[in-house]
Amino acid sequence: MSKSVQGMTVHTLGTGGGPIVSGSRAGTSTVVKVDDAAYVIDCGMGSIRNYRSSCAWPDLRGIFLTHHHSDHIYDLGSFLVTGWQVPGESFSRPIEVFGPGRPSRVPALDAEHAVQIDARVAGRAMTATTEVVDALLDKVFASDICIRMADEGREEPHNWVIAHDIEIPAAANADPVEARHPQMEPFEVYRDELVTVTAILVDHRLCFPAFAFRIDSAYGSVVVSGDTAYSENCIRLARGADLLLHEVMDLQAILATFPDGPTRDGIEIHLRESHTSFDEVGKVAQAAGVGQLVLHHIVPNTPGAADVQKMQQVASLDFDGPVQVAEDNDCFVVPVVPEHETQLEKAEATA
Ligand SMILES: [Zn+2]
């Protein structure tokens, strides 16, 4: 039987959550493949290596960043520079990068908190995705790029990477202090002949903007939650999708890995209010009516610290469909092939 490349699949390049380096999971990253085209969502630490295990450079069309937390963008520079004109290992077309624009101010819980935050960050500014890409190509990797242009005859890398700041529709009335995840409708971010990508703002506490993405193709639909607490917007985006890839956290398990101290208290509030617990995530999938729930962005990500069997079992209590906890380099077919059809195919293959 010849190997078909037609169809829609999801490959988990990195399933660990948080800025802690894990010995067992790469940082959050997912590739959705539609026929021979690859669309990457987030670029966590170590994901570049797993991308190359499941995809080829010429297939890459787009990179979509849910938000600018470091654990979602550590490998962005690796993606941009590694696929740039290495013989036989290169982009076949300019790749497009979509991500958050620069917020109008540093996000805060309310007006009073905003004053404290302004004093604390002391003039620091946040950056837009276009600025991050420019900084990588024109500052961080500038020496490498100049040398390779001079030495190997490579072309201008900006011709191969086109960055976009995702524009939030004005009708949403989103604001980094007053309304970080207002009730809104999903909006289109990208479209080509194979996919449409839509986005919505989710609730990642002070991380603004933070998006969930949905990729629709002729084969089916996949939603990636991004980092979020239980989010009605995420449910709205995921309605009827074939596969929901959702973040998950075991708060007590991650707290058990931290020593006592003031930073532990700060991070406990951040974690509690900006992520989704394993006993809430099944409710998201059920409310959205998705076909399958896959858990990733596992927190804690250190080897053995999260009881993934417990996560799977508890999430299953609230959701009628199948629940799986992803490991790195797992592959999920969209839409899910029912068990009896897989058995039938196996029987036919061996007949
Ligand atoms: Zn985050």
Side-chain angles (χ1 to χ4, degrees):
M1 206 170 78
S2 67
K3 196 181 169 202
S4 171
V5 291
Q6 299 294 298
M8 189 177 197
T9 49
V10 175
H11 304 256
T12 51
L13 306 183
T15 56
I20 296 169
V21 180
S22 166
S24 58
R25 295 179 188 273
T28 299
S29 181
T30 307
V31 62
V32 177
K33 284 184 78 176
V34 179
D35 295 343
D36 284 330
Y39 307 87
V40 169
I41 298 174
D42 289 331
C43 306
M45 188 188 292
S47 57
I48 187 84
R49 194 159 175 262
N50 292 336
Y51 173 83
R52 195 56 195 88
S53 303
S54 55
C55 295
W57 283 116
D59 298 344
L60 184 61
R61 292 199 184 186
I63 296 176
F64 299 83
L65 304 173
T66 59
H67 62 297
H68 279 179
H69 265 147
S70 56
D71 54 316
H72 292 249
I73 61 170
Y74 278 132
D75 267 7
L76 177 61
S78 313
F79 271 89
L80 304 187
V81 175
T82 308
W84 167 61
Q85 295 200 297
V86 178
E89 288 284 316
S90 298
F91 310 140
S92 58
R93 57 167 75 200
I95 62 156
E96 303 202 54
V97 181
F98 294 83
R102 180 207 284 259
S104 57
R105 62 182 303 169
V106 177
L109 295 172
D110 51 40
E112 191 184 335
H113 187 229
V115 175
Q116 297 169 26
I117 294 300
D118 288 345
R120 190 178 301 167
V121 299
R124 277 176 175 271
M126 292 171 69
T127 47
T129 296
T130 48
E131 294 171 305
V132 172
V133 169
D134 285 350
L136 287 166
L137 297 182
D138 301 334
K139 300 267 188 220
V140 177
F141 293 104
S143 295
D144 174 84
I145 286 168
C146 284
I147 293 164
R148 292 189 192 282
M149 288 175 79
D151 206 16
E152 303 169 20
R154 295 199 202 183
E155 291 170 19
E156 169 58 52
H158 282 282
N159 294 344
W160 290 92
V161 178
I162 301 163
H164 308 264
D165 297 330
I166 294 174
E167 206 169 311
I168 302 164
N173 286 316
D175 181 86
V177 179
E178 305 296 333
R180 290 182 298 282
H181 50 97
Q183 183 181 331
M184 63 189 293
E185 290 303 315
F187 61 98
E188 186 174 312
V189 169
Y190 171 86
R191 178 190 289 264
D192 62 22
E193 80 282 11
L194 292 174
V195 301
T196 304
V197 181
T198 46
I200 205 161
L201 286 165
V202 290
D203 178 7
H204 198 27
R205 192 169 141 94
L206 287 188
C207 189
F208 173 87
F211 298 108
F213 292 121
R214 174 174 177 138
I215 300 186
D216 285 279
S217 76
Y219 303 102
S221 47
V222 173
V223 171
V224 178
S225 69
D227 283 12
T228 183
Y230 183 100
S231 163
E232 293 292 347
N233 276 350
C234 183
I235 292 168
R236 193 169 296 117
L237 182 74
R239 198 145 279 155
D242 292 300
L243 189 152
L244 170 61
L245 197 59
H246 203 288
E247 68 125 270
V248 70
M249 169 188 66
D250 183 338
L251 182 62
Q252 294 314 316
I254 179 82
L255 290 178
T257 69
F258 294 151
D260 288 339
T263 53
R264 182 186 192 276
D265 298 341
I267 206 162
E268 176 174 352
I269 297 167
H270 158 77
L271 288 166
R272 190 186 298 283
E273 297 190 2
S274 58
H275 293 285
T276 304
S277 174
F278 63 96
D279 56 8
E280 291 178 306
V281 71
K283 298 180 178 77
V284 176
Q286 186 69 15
V290 298
Q292 176 177 203
L293 173 62
V294 176
L295 304 179
H296 75 157
H297 192 279
I298 312 295
V299 173
N301 65 355
T302 41
D307 183 344
V308 294
Q309 205 174 7
K310 178 182 76 176
M311 286 178 165
Q312 192 272 339
Q313 286 169 350
V314 173
S316 297
L317 296 175
D318 294 310
F319 177 51
D320 294 335
V323 180
Q324 284 171 276
V325 183
E327 300 293 334
D328 290 7
N329 294 311
D330 277 351
C331 173
F332 301 91
V333 178
V334 180
V336 185
V337 181
E339 185 80 8
H340 66 272
E341 284 182 26
T342 332
Q343 307 270 341
L344 204 66
E345 269 176 29
K346 276 187 195 154
E348 280 169 3
T350 51

